[in-house]
Amino acid sequence: AVVSTQSTGEILGQSRNPTAVQPHLKKCFDNIVQLQMEKIGIDSKGGKMEAVAMFSADGEKVEFNTQVTLEGPVEAWLCDIEDTMRVTLRQQLKLCRVAL
C-alpha cells in the first residue's frame, strides 16, 4: 500500500480525532479497512478512545488480544495497531494449529 503525501498530511493532522483516520487505514495496512473504536473512561463523552478490533475488506472481524489506546501522536498509535495486529494474528494462528 502506498500512502500519498496528501493522505500522510491528513493522517498526521488527525491525532486528536482517531475516527478521522479510518478512511486512510486501507492505505496504511493491507486489507484493514476499519477499526472498531470505543470511548473509554468514566465520562465517555469526551474521553480517550481505544481500538478493540479490526475489519477486513471482506467484512471479517478480528478482536485484538489487548486494546490499543488511541492517544498521542498518530504515528505512534498506528505502530501500536500494527504490533497488536501481528501479536493477535500470531496467537489466533497458534490456536488454529492446535485445534487441527
Side-chain angles (χ1 to χ4, degrees), residues 18-93:
T19 56
V21 176
Q22 294 271 32
H24 305 286
L25 289 173
K26 61 186 169 199
K27 299 172 193 169
C28 298
F29 303 107
D30 287 336
N31 207 27
I32 295 181
V33 296
Q34 186 177 6
L35 295 173
Q36 180 178 339
M37 299 178 183
E38 297 179 355
K39 291 188 178 186
I40 57 174
I42 298 172
D43 179 17
S44 62
K45 292 179 183 173
K48 299 175 188 174
M49 295 193 75
E50 64 184 10
V52 297
M54 60 185 166
F55 292 90
S56 74
D58 298 323
E60 300 165 312
K61 177 182 178 181
V62 177
E63 294 186 16
F64 292 137
N65 290 348
T66 58
Q67 289 77 27
V68 179
T69 303
L70 308 177
E71 67 176 346
V74 68
E75 61 273 19
W77 59 258
L78 282 174
C79 286
D80 293 342
I81 292 288
E82 181 179 17
D83 292 340
T84 302
M85 172 191 69
R86 290 175 191 261
V87 168
T88 298
L89 291 176
R90 187 177 303 120
Q91 176 78 24
Q92 291 295 320
L93 289 171

Side-chain angles (χ1 to χ4, degrees), residues 5-18:
T5 305
Q6 181 179 0
S7 292
T8 301
E10 290 175 20
I11 291 168
L12 294 175
Q14 298 298 335
S15 62
R16 297 213 188 282
N17 184 8

